[in-house]
């Protein structure tokens, strides 16, 4: 095997149809980076979901004199015995891990802190409009929310039950939708990449038909005849992958890592996640280019 | 060296076989002319020897191997023992004389040291001393054919197949080409040359096999081109 000779042939091949090679590299780069972005989204959604599933809880808001909902105006503000009753009922439920009472003052303090960026809302909300509540931690947040809520729903002293996951759902939907769109576009582009690889290799085989016919005549092995073309496809794959790697690092650094600016709850992806996605993109690129070149060559470079 | 046993070759969608019941032997070191009009089966014969085509019937042995039992991936090894020269030279226009000849060795993975040693030798053998760095378009037809012969011979094949090597060359230059083929033959290489050139066949006085409509109509040692049997 003469590596220098093979690479010289590859270099000639790449230079001869430069425009096709550049087009191929660009398409491989874009499709791989979109595929990678899709995968990063999947990881982002998964890790965020896992993070919040461990923390999701039920907030049971209690009636106070200032709350004017129909539920409360019927029963009046919560009494000490009603509060005791609600707490014991929640605690006796096997799906509940813990029940914490949060006083109205504590809730108000937290409200002021969370909405500190919106002073007019804070100032226009009197302290007694924020009720006290029970914060209920559940064993299996997704499954048990409705069941636990229905037990105490409408009990005297209970105003409303707020389920954290109903707050998170729109966020998940947004991420899922973005991921699906990105993956779909990536798949279309991968198909385009496959066709482009096939076309480039075909052109290359046509450009080098004299060399190829002489190689066959003097008894070059099939492997030797096909190798320059295979390497050509692979090199396009590697260059496309390099560009895609840059784009993926940028996607993570400038976009995914900044999501927490727009959503109060976000989990950052680790560098390992990024490396995993980049390696997967390399394997996909090499596989697509290598396999397509190989199959194309079998049609155009018969012995 | 080449053994045809009752070989028939029919191409698809053609009524008359290109070769019909051909049986012949070419011994090691022989020089054989293959003569006959166009379409008589000369090229089919050469393609069968190279295993570019398979016979419809009959057996072919080349260099001691049964071609029917030769797997596809071993065909390159057969072709390394056979050199080929064509009417249209088939040189690579963007490579020099030296590079064209070296290419044949590079693509079968010969080490560079070996290539540096044998290519100048074979350039001398075909009489192109001092022209190693010329490009094909700077050479005359006869010189280009010498390059093609050097490329065919550089790997010291056991058999050299020449398909009308003087077809594009004037008679005076053809004599030089035949001298080179004769020199190659004297190294022990079997030479099979398909030709129309009566003058050359008559002057060489070698074995002549005449084909007509795919059949061997004459096989004569020290023969001439147009002689009746």
């Amino acid at each position: 095997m003469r590596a220098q000779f093979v690479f010289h042939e590859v270099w000639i091949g790449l230079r001869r149809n430069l425009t096709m090679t550049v087009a191929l590299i660009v398409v491989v780069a874009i499709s791989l980076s979109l595929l990678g972005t899709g995968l990063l989204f999947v990881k982002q959604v998964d890790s965020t979901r896992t993070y919040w599933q461990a923390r999701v809880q039920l907030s049971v808001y209690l009636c106070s004199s200032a709350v004017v909902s129909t539920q409360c105006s019927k029963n009046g503000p919560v009494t000490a015995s009603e509060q005791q009753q609600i707490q014991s009922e929640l605690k006796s439920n096997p799906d509940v891990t813990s029940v914490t009472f949060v006083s109205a003052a504590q809730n108000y303090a937290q409200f002021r802190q969370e909405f500190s960026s919106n002073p007019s809302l804070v100032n226009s909300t009197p302290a007694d409009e924020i009720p006290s509540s029970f914060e209920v931690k559940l064993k299996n947040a997704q499954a048990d929310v409705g069941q636990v809520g229905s037990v105490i729903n409408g009990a005297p002293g209970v105003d409303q039950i707020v389920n954290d996951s109903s707050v998170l759902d729109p966020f998940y939907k947004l991420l899922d939708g973005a991921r699906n769109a990105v993956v779909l576009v990536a798949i279309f582009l991968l198909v385009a990449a496959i066709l482009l690889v096939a076309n480039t290799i075909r052109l290359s085989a046509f450009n080098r038909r004299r060399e190829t016919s002489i190689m066959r005549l003097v008894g070059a092995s099939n492997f030797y005849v096909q190798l320059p073309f295979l390497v050509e496809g692979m090199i396009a794959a590697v260059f496309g992958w390099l560009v895609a790697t840059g784009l993926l690092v940028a996607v993570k650094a400038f976009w995914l890592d900044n999501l927490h600016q727009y959503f109060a709850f976000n989990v950052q992806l680790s560098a390992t996640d990024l490396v995993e996605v980049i390696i997967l993109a390399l394997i996909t690129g090499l596989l697509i280019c290598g396999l397509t070149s190989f199959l194309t060559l079998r049609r155009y470079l018969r012995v | 060296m080449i053994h045809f046993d009752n070989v028939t070759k029919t191409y698809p969608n053609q009524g008359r076989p290109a070769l019909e019941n051909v049986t012949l032997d070419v011994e090691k070191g022989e020089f054989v002319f293959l003569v006959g009009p166009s379409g008589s089966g000369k090229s089919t014969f050469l393609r069968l020897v190279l295993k570019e085509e398979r016979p419809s019937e009959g057996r072919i042995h080349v260099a001691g191997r049964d071609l029917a039992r030769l797997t596809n991936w071993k065909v390159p090894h057969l072709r390394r023992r056979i050199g080929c020269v064509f009417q249209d030279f088939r040189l690579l226009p963007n490579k020099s004389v030296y590079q064209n000849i070296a290419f044949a060795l590079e693509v079968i993975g010969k080490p560079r040291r070996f290539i540096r040693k044998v290519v100048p030798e074979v350039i001398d053998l075909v009489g192109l001393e001092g022209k190693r760095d010329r490009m094909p378009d700077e050479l005359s037809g006869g010189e280009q054919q010498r390059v093609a012969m050097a490329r065919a011979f550089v790997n010291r094949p056991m058999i050299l197949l020449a398909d009308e090597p003087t077809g594009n060359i004037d008679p005076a230059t053809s004599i030089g080409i035949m001298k080179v083929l004769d020199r190659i033959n004297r190294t022990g290489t079997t030479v099979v040359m398909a030709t129309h050139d009566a003058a050359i066949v008559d002057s060489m006085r070698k074995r002549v096999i005449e084909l007509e409509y795919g059949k061997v109509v004459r096989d004569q040692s020290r023969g001439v081109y147009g002689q009746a049997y």
Side-chain angles (χ1 to χ4, degrees), chain B residues 100-115:
Chain B
N100 260 290
I101 300 166
F103 185 77
L105 295 174
E106 281 165 345
V107 301
I108 57 173
K110 294 282 186 195
R112 201 149 19 136
R113 210 154 30 88
F114 175 78
I115 295 175

Side-chain angles (χ1 to χ4, degrees), chain B residues 3 8-9 17 24 33 47 49-50 55 60 70-71 83 88 93 123 129 134 143 166 173 187 190 194 227:
Chain B
H3 175 70
T8 298
K9 171 68 191 177
L24 59 82
F33 284 114
R47 291 171 66 79
V49 173
L50 281 168
I60 302 173
L70 197 68
T71 53
D88 55 358
I123 288 178
E129 304 88 344
R134 299 284 187 90
E143 286 168 332
T166 58
T173 316
T187 65
T190 309
Q227 194 187 45

Side-chain angles (χ1 to χ4, degrees), chain B residues 5 12 29 35 52 62 73 99 101 104 108 123 132-133 145 188 202:
Chain B
D5 186 9
V35 303
E52 284 190 7
V62 175
W73 65 274
Q99 287 167 333
I101 300 166
I108 57 173
I123 288 178
R132 51 169 283 171
D133 293 324
Q145 192 59 291
D202 292 349

Side-chain angles (χ1 to χ4, degrees), chain B residues 36 38 72 138 140 146 151 158 199 204 212 217:
Chain B
S38 298
N72 264 345
E138 300 167 343
S140 71
R146 283 168 194 259
R151 182 180 65 194
M158 304 167 86
M204 294 281 285
E212 209 177 286
V217 293

Side-chain angles (χ1 to χ4, degrees), chain A residues 66 90 99 113 123 161 173 180 189 207 225 251 256 279 301:
Chain A
L90 283 171
V99 180
Q113 195 199 337
N123 293 334
I161 299 162
K173 278 203 182 110
N180 290 346
L189 275 169
N207 276 338
V225 174
V251 161
L256 288 179
I279 289 173
L301 296 181

